[in-house]
Amino acid sequence: TAPYEYTIVIGEDTSVNVWARAINTVTGCIGTWDSTAVGISRPLPETPPIMAADPNDPGNEYLDAVCTGDTGVTYYVIPAAGATYNWSIPALGFTRENTDEIQVDWLITGGDYTITVQETSAFGCAGTESEALVLVAQPDPDLGPDAGICEGQSMTFSTTQAYQNYQWHDGSTEDNYTTGEPGIVIVTVWDAYGCQGSDTADLTVYPLPRTDLGPDTTLCGENSILLDAGDFIYYQWSTGETSRTLSVYAGEKALRVTVTDEHG
């Protein structure tokens, strides 16, 4: 009967033969089984796992670990006969079609990135997607802000995060660097995957402030003298005073002053 269509669900990887014949409902005459079709259901392919040609295995759920800026890194699948493979790395805007091997330039900031590939079988059936997670490592050591110390002091620089190896500008390889000399401090670090990063900090060494109260002095009678320690931020006299100047009267005494400048 109309609409002269027949539907059947075919099990996966099986086939069915369908015949049709015409019947004249007025005369009751029936035609022969001379119209036939074959329906074939092909299995959906299961895309094979992604593999790395030269993996730097960080463990956990990662397929590979690479450094930011690495180029020509090869990934592949073991192909099935007659199948084609389409690849995608969304974060890189990367797509490749009809190939079982790709080469990737990881020109991207550090992080976790997903590679996907989908198999299309020789019969044109698209399978499930296979995914792999790649760790792109980008060491970013931080020595902190530029620093200043006073003459005679020293400063120890270290990174806020631990790394596998260190090299400082003087060739030393400890995980910290101590100096009392002014200049640029440079550290280069390597992480567990051999990826490299660096940072710099500028160390300024401020000279100690100098003050001069003048020569030893003798006072007579009721005379006095005003001692001036100079222009600084803070003063501490041996008498306990904290002013810039100190009035001194007769009487034998040794007076001392300590001054502190704007750098501490």
Side-chain angles (χ1 to χ4, degrees):
T1 57
Y4 313 112
E5 293 176 353
Y6 178 69
T7 301
I8 185 172
V9 177
I10 307 175
E12 182 177 309
D13 202 21
T14 59
S15 62
V16 63
N17 292 328
V18 180
W19 292 269
R21 61 181 180 178
I23 300 175
N24 188 320
T25 57
V26 175
T27 64
C29 297
I30 301 174
T32 59
W33 296 100
D34 56 5
S35 180
T36 182
V38 178
I40 301 174
S41 175
R42 304 295 184 184
L44 293 178
E46 184 174 342
T47 304
I50 299 171
M51 305 181 73
D54 186 20
N56 187 353
D57 185 6
N60 297 326
E61 72 274 26
Y62 296 104
L63 166 70
D64 193 17
V66 298
C67 304
T68 292
D70 281 355
T71 58
V73 183
T74 301
Y75 302 97
Y76 66 97
V77 294
I78 298 176
T84 59
Y85 299 88
N86 296 334
W87 299 77
S88 174
I89 307 177
L92 289 175
F94 177 99
T95 58
R96 293 291 185 276
E97 296 182 350
N98 302 326
T99 178
D100 53 35
E101 180 179 295
I102 59 171
Q103 289 190 331
V104 181
D105 296 337
W106 290 107
L107 305 178
I108 197 169
T109 56
D112 295 348
Y113 297 97
T114 300
I115 303 175
T116 64
V117 62
Q118 185 178 37
E119 178 181 312
T120 300
S121 72
F123 305 108
C125 299
T128 58
E129 284 190 343
S130 184
E131 291 188 351
L133 192 62
V134 173
L135 171 63
V136 179
Q138 185 179 23
D140 187 21
D142 183 11
L143 293 177
D146 294 341
I149 58 174
C150 300
E151 181 184 344
Q153 295 179 334
S154 62
M155 177 81 177
T156 297
F157 292 90
S158 61
T159 58
T160 55
Q161 182 178 350
Y163 293 96
Q164 193 82 1
N165 298 103
Y166 300 79
Q167 185 172 53
W168 301 86
H169 60 282
D170 67 343
S172 61
T173 57
E174 302 298 322
D175 59 4
N176 63 73
Y177 177 77
T178 300
T179 183
E181 298 297 323
I184 301 295
V185 176
I186 306 171
V187 66
T188 301
V189 300
W190 289 265
D191 65 14
Y193 314 116
C195 303
Q196 178 180 317
S198 63
D199 191 29
T200 64
D202 188 11
L203 180 63
T204 301
V205 179
Y206 300 108
L208 297 181
R210 304 285 186 244
T211 185
D212 186 0
L213 298 179
D216 293 342
T217 302
T218 299
L219 300 177
C220 299
E222 299 299 320
N223 293 333
S224 65
I225 187 172
L226 183 67
L227 300 181
D228 189 338
D231 186 16
F232 298 99
I233 298 297
Y234 182 76
Y235 308 86
Q236 183 65 57
W237 295 86
S238 55
T239 59
E241 300 291 328
T242 57
S243 58
R244 171 175 174 167
T245 59
L246 182 70
S247 294
V248 181
Y249 297 89
E252 185 176 350
K253 62 195 72 175
L255 298 171
R256 297 179 302 280
V257 65
T258 299
V259 298
T260 303
D261 65 13
E262 67 274 18
H263 304 300

